Amino acid sequence: MSDLDILTSATQSPTAVSEDLLQSALSAVRKHLGMDVAYLSEFVDGRSVFRRVDAPGFEALAKIGDSHSLDDVYCQHILEGRLPELIPDTADEPFAAAMPITQAIPIGAHMSIPIRLKDGSAYGMFCCLSRTPNPTLNTRDLDTMRVFAELATRQINNELADSRQRTEQCRRIEDVLAREAFSIVYQPIFDLGRMAPVGYEALSRFTDEPKRTPDIWFNEAAEVGLSETLEIAALKRALAILPDLGADQYLSVNASPELIITEAFANLLADQPLYRILLEITEHAQVEDYELLLQALEPLRRRGLKLAIDDAGAGYSSLRHIVQLQPDIVKLDMSLTRDVDTDAARRALVGALMFYARETSAQVIAEGIETQAEFDTLKLLGVRKGQGYFLGRPDAALLAPATPKAIKRGA
């Protein structure tokens, strides 16, 4: 990668500069200046710690993790103006020449640019040095060095911002878990013929600030490596309702493919009456290894667990999930249910999924039913089970076994 390639790539996307690119920048500037060692340091507790190093053939002089007291190196003196950023020959700088490190390495030529954080404080230095003097070094070389140092500054600031954000995300999720600051509500799933709830879907609700939908909370937990812990906690609370369900009713719960393949998930379900549990995998979940997922599901399904593909029809992934996992139930996404009474395309898609269900002996549940017209149309299309605000809203309490008054009998 040439100097121009590095500068062009980094300038086009400064927030995406990778560690590899930054390492390449160190190598490029060292070669360009004809120096022996290039490194990026961080100031930690009064010491200069080498975070990245390019020193082929001179690894004994500098390697990642090496550190020196700030009193013994040039860094602090450059920051405070006692030494210049560009020193072609250390013998010409009495202060540098008198420092023990100059003779110990030795340092013949030195160039260093401070790396500053957004608040103006010094993070560390972007440096090059040579064991012998280099009288050809000039202010143009220093300007080139500044460009690479600016790239390093952007990257360091981005990395620290990401780290702070991750720490805050982790704190939020850990706080929710410690206080159990979430609840479970249950939405009834109706037999559309008998108009009686045959099951309930357990849905998580979070009370903490910032007010956000459950999917955002679970996605954030995944970003900081706490998704398994949060999902297990939510599932434990959801499953606690099982003894309160009617003898002919089941509980529908949601789990990510990443959780399903874990030992923690298998242990959670070890003593549960699986014939009364419907496990939903959303269309939006990415499955990295279908074979591994099927292996984890097989003993659970053998014990009676039913599998559903949620949000069917919302995108390509749901169709792939259906083909690969062969679910017992296909749940129509509310984007198909919405206005199905007036939209021929939606009716055609529902009809296609109904045909698949009949061919594979699967059942269909329509989600998001909100009007009498949608309800009537879905029944005419052959849908036998459904849920939605028109039938029953999610609630912490289970629905009393009664026919909703708003629904026309015989529709």
Side-chain angles (χ1 to χ4, degrees):
M1 182 180 287
S2 69
D3 295 5
L4 181 59
D5 290 334
I6 294 171
L7 292 174
T8 301
S9 176
T11 303
Q12 287 176 343
S13 182
T15 60
V17 180
S18 67
E19 278 196 24
D20 288 343
L21 183 56
L22 196 51
Q23 188 68 36
S24 296
L26 279 174
S27 177
V29 74
R30 181 190 61 77
K31 292 175 182 176
H32 175 77
L33 298 175
M35 307 286 264
D36 297 327
V37 176
Y39 64 86
L40 175 68
S41 70
E42 180 185 4
F43 301 155
V44 181
D45 297 330
R47 300 186 69 83
S48 176
V49 182
F50 293 171
R51 295 305 187 197
R52 290 162 196 154
V53 177
D54 184 72
F58 295 95
E59 289 82 4
L61 297 182
K63 60 182 180 297
I64 293 175
D66 283 353
S67 71
H68 301 274
S69 170
L70 286 175
D71 294 332
D72 298 335
V73 294
Y74 291 4
C75 303
Q76 194 68 34
H77 302 299
I78 292 172
L79 286 171
E80 295 176 359
R82 287 186 291 274
L83 286 175
E85 294 176 338
L86 170 62
I87 308 177
D89 188 341
T90 55
D92 295 335
E93 290 289 338
F95 192 95
M99 293 181 66
I101 197 170
T102 303
Q103 305 305 320
I105 288 182
I107 304 174
H110 189 275
M111 190 181 295
S112 187
I113 306 292
I115 301 294
R116 294 192 178 276
L117 303 181
K118 289 185 178 179
D119 62 5
S121 62
Y123 168 86
M125 304 292 276
F126 193 89
C127 299
C128 278
L129 64 86
S130 182
R131 290 163 52 88
T132 58
N134 187 347
T136 66
L137 294 176
N138 54 46
T139 55
R140 290 185 62 183
D141 294 320
L142 186 62
D143 288 340
T144 299
M145 181 87 160
R146 289 188 196 282
V147 174
F148 284 97
E150 176 60 25
L151 297 180
T153 299
R154 292 180 187 177
Q155 178 68 4
I156 293 299
N157 276 290
N158 288 334
E159 288 176 356
L160 291 175
D162 289 344
S163 178
R164 285 191 294 270
Q165 179 180 350
R166 184 179 177 85
T167 298
E168 176 60 21
Q169 289 176 321
C170 192
R171 184 204 62 76
R172 271 199 300 268
I173 301 300
E174 288 177 339
D175 189 47
V176 164
L177 287 165
R179 295 185 296 105
E180 296 187 344
F182 61 89
S183 60
I184 304 295
V185 294
Y186 300 89
Q187 184 170 34
I189 301 169
F190 274 84
D191 181 307
L192 302 186
R194 296 188 294 112
M195 285 316 306
V198 294
Y200 291 85
E201 180 178 2
L203 302 166
S204 299
R205 295 290 184 265
F206 293 84
T207 57
D208 269 22
E209 297 291 342
K211 296 294 185 183
R212 303 179 299 178
T213 56
D215 61 307
I216 295 177
W217 281 101
F218 282 106
N219 287 340
E220 184 169 87
E223 289 174 6
V224 296
L226 291 172
S227 59
E228 179 179 320
T229 307
L230 183 58
E231 283 194 72
I232 289 292
L235 284 168
K236 281 182 179 178
R237 184 171 293 186
L239 290 167
I241 202 74
L242 268 174
D244 298 330
L245 296 182
D248 59 346
Q249 294 177 332
Y250 63 84
L251 180 67
S252 181
V253 296
N254 294 267
S256 67
E258 292 82 5
L259 178 68
I260 293 169
I261 63 176
T262 66
E263 184 178 353
F265 184 73
N267 291 339
L268 177 67
L269 297 185
D271 299 322
Q272 297 291 339
L274 296 189
Y275 64 94
R276 303 189 66 193
I277 297 175
L278 173 64
L279 177 64
E280 297 189 25
I281 299 176
T282 179
E283 183 272 344
H284 306 290
Q286 298 297 314
V287 177
E288 299 296 333
D289 188 333
Y290 279 102
E291 189 60 35
L292 186 62
L293 182 58
L294 286 167
Q295 289 175 8
L297 286 169
E298 193 274 333
L300 300 175
R301 297 180 78 174
R302 200 168 57 237
R303 287 172 48 207
L305 180 75
K306 296 294 188 290
L307 180 67
I309 299 302
D310 196 12
D311 306 319
Y316 170 76
S317 294
S318 62
L319 299 179
R320 188 177 182 192
H321 288 351
I322 290 170
V323 171
Q324 294 282 350
L325 300 177
Q326 299 180 16
D328 305 288
I329 292 175
V330 175
K331 298 191 74 175
L332 301 181
D333 185 68
M334 63 176 61
S335 64
L336 293 184
T337 302
R338 189 74 65 249
D339 300 323
V340 69
D341 53 306
T342 60
D343 191 318
R346 283 181 169 85
R347 289 196 296 275
L349 287 171
V350 171
L353 287 170
M354 291 299 299
F355 176 78
Y356 169 85
R358 286 192 296 270
E359 289 292 303
T360 59
S361 299
Q363 298 181 37
V364 171
I365 296 175
E367 293 185 295
I369 302 174
E370 293 192 355
T371 69
Q372 179 77 52
E374 291 170 355
F375 173 84
D376 293 340
T377 301
L378 288 165
K379 284 191 69 177
L380 288 172
L381 289 171
V383 177
R384 296 291 175 257
K385 293 182 175 62
Q387 64 186 102
Y389 281 10
F390 182 68
L391 301 171
R393 290 174 175 266
D395 198 290
L398 300 180
L399 188 68
T403 302
K405 294 180 180 178
I407 298 175
K408 302 175 184 175
R409 288 187 176 275

